Amino acid sequence: MIFIINFQLKIGLMIFATLFFYSCGSTSIQPTPSKTYSKAVLTMNQGVKWYEKGCYQKAIKLFWDANEQFSAVDLPEGVAVSLNSIGNANHHLGEIDEAILILKQSLIIYEQLNQPQKQIKNLSDIAATYLTVEDLKSAEEWIDKGEKLSKKWELDEVALILTKGIWLTHKKDYDQARKVLLSALDLVEPGDLATMGTSHAALGHLELEAGNLDAAQKYFVFALDADRQSGFYRGIADNLAELGQISIQQNHTLAGLFYLQRSVKVYALLGDNTRVDQLLAQIKPLADSVDQDIRLTQTLTHRWLKGEIGHHLCR
């Protein structure tokens, strides 16, 4: 399920807003951060910016660079954050085995640092990765670990609650999934557009699978608006595609075609050949059925994929 990948990564990164560094022994003097450390923080934040646009290949390179720099100055928390981000990016790129391996390593570091909130988030990331390949049993095991830790420390982690809601959706326990996802939505801060978009998209997928098209449409419209505001291009493309499919199921063919053409253009600007090919294969016969000319859409998407573009979203 493409959505799960996007969901975890959208809320999976931790941004270094300020520098943090260790003091030595009993002295109260804070050491001056090295140039390598400062560069690592800057590199990490650059990766986050690309990630937030949905440019995962570019982001992952920067995360690896930051990981090397944090390792060089022996900053375990920086190593853990960069590994967590790399694992989530691999998850999105479909490199599941590598994602799980790396996410488990970042979890070990968080355990050694005794950081329960980040452990819970990391456990959620691992569970979501297993969900991508429909390994519901493994996902349940990691969700359970996260819930036990949450109970022990009396911590609410929205990512874990959302992951459980998606797991319940996979199990087709729609009533319980709805209850869990709505409880997660209640915990989202009003200004947290990424998680707001994610929560509404999760509810949209739930209602879509449950056959409640009108409700699903409502949630995807909310998700689309949040992703537009946050500039999450990948989410914009995904939500438009879902709205297109819903409109088609509602027998609103022209509306569906309109959504799908908008979606395929964003995928083309992101350089996603696979999604462009998939959507164009659907759009062509759909357009023929309602006598619509899509040649401009075809021309633009092919041109953009070839790099004939003024502003590539991921460059």
Side-chain angles (χ1 to χ4, degrees):
M1 181 183 290
I2 294 172
F3 161 68
I4 293 177
I5 298 173
N6 287 340
F7 147 62
Q8 277 310 125
L9 288 173
K10 284 169 68 176
I11 60 180
L13 297 175
M14 301 172 191
I15 303 175
F16 287 87
T18 57
L19 300 182
F20 53 90
F21 23 84
Y22 299 114
S23 60
C24 302
S26 60
T27 179
S28 61
I29 300 174
Q30 296 289 345
T32 302
S34 69
K35 289 183 180 179
T36 300
Y37 172 76
S38 299
K39 184 179 179 182
V41 173
L42 178 62
T43 302
M44 188 69 200
N45 284 332
Q46 289 174 335
V48 170
K49 289 179 181 178
W50 284 109
Y51 167 78
E52 288 177 339
K53 297 175 183 290
C55 301
Y56 302 110
Q57 289 284 8
K58 183 140 188 173
I60 202 170
K61 181 182 182 303
L62 289 162
F63 293 151
W64 273 120
D65 289 347
N67 179 263
E68 293 171 6
Q69 293 156 8
F70 282 129
S71 296
V73 293
D74 188 33
L75 190 66
E77 186 168 4
V79 172
V81 170
S82 56
L83 285 175
N84 179 268
S85 302
I86 291 165
N88 282 324
N90 278 318
H91 176 183
H92 180 86
L93 294 170
E95 299 165 358
I96 303 303
D97 290 341
E98 186 172 353
I100 291 172
L101 174 67
I102 294 172
L103 287 169
K104 287 181 177 178
Q105 185 60 44
S106 61
L107 176 63
I108 290 171
I109 300 173
Y110 285 136
E111 289 172 343
Q112 291 297 312
L113 296 174
N114 192 28
Q115 296 185 345
Q117 188 86 53
K118 293 177 182 177
Q119 289 177 54
I120 296 166
K121 172 62 186 57
N122 209 126
L123 289 164
S124 172
D125 293 340
I126 296 171
T129 307
Y130 279 116
L131 279 176
T132 302
V133 290
E134 296 290 336
D135 187 345
L136 301 188
K137 182 178 180 181
S138 294
E140 182 180 16
E141 291 174 1
W142 290 93
I143 290 170
D144 286 345
K145 291 179 182 180
E147 288 185 324
K148 288 176 182 176
L149 200 57
S150 295
K151 184 177 181 179
K152 175 182 177 181
W153 290 95
E154 298 182 349
L155 294 170
D156 287 323
E157 174 54 60
V158 177
L160 181 65
I161 299 170
L162 285 169
T163 300
K164 183 172 183 178
I166 296 168
W167 172 72
L168 288 164
T169 301
H170 276 258
K171 289 173 63 67
K172 302 188 184 304
D173 188 349
Y174 301 133
D175 290 340
Q176 188 62 25
R178 186 178 296 108
K179 188 180 301 184
V180 170
L181 290 174
L182 286 172
S183 72
L185 184 59
D186 288 340
L187 294 173
V188 180
E189 295 292 333
D192 186 354
L193 292 171
T195 311
M196 189 68 70
T198 292
S199 303
H200 282 95
L203 284 159
H205 279 276
L206 161 65
E207 298 299 355
L208 184 58
E209 289 200 24
N212 303 320
L213 298 183
D214 290 344
Q217 185 178 50
K218 178 187 72 174
Y219 284 123
F220 281 119
V221 167
F222 274 114
L224 176 61
D225 183 60
D227 287 339
R228 281 173 176 157
Q229 291 186 60
S230 66
F232 181 55
Y233 302 129
R234 179 74 55 174
I236 291 170
D238 289 344
N239 291 322
L240 287 170
E242 294 296 349
L243 286 166
Q245 305 302 343
I246 291 170
S247 295
I248 293 166
Q249 290 185 54
Q250 293 171 325
N251 295 317
H252 300 153
T253 306
L254 282 174
L257 181 62
F258 184 50
Y259 278 124
L260 293 180
Q261 288 189 88
R262 289 155 62 190
S263 175
V264 76
K265 289 176 183 178
V266 182
Y267 283 125
L269 289 167
L270 285 167
D272 192 331
N273 288 272
T274 300
R275 287 296 287 151
V276 169
D277 289 344
Q278 290 171 344
L279 286 183
L280 285 179
Q282 182 182 11
I283 288 171
K284 182 62 169 67
L286 196 65
D288 290 342
S289 72
V290 289
D291 194 27
Q292 293 292 304
D293 190 339
I294 61 162
R295 285 178 295 174
L296 181 58
T297 296
Q298 292 173 312
T299 298
L300 289 174
T301 53
H302 289 142
R303 181 184 299 169
W304 293 341
L305 285 174
K306 287 191 297 182
E308 298 175 9
I309 183 173
H311 179 66
H312 196 295
L313 299 184
C314 292
R315 290 179 186 168

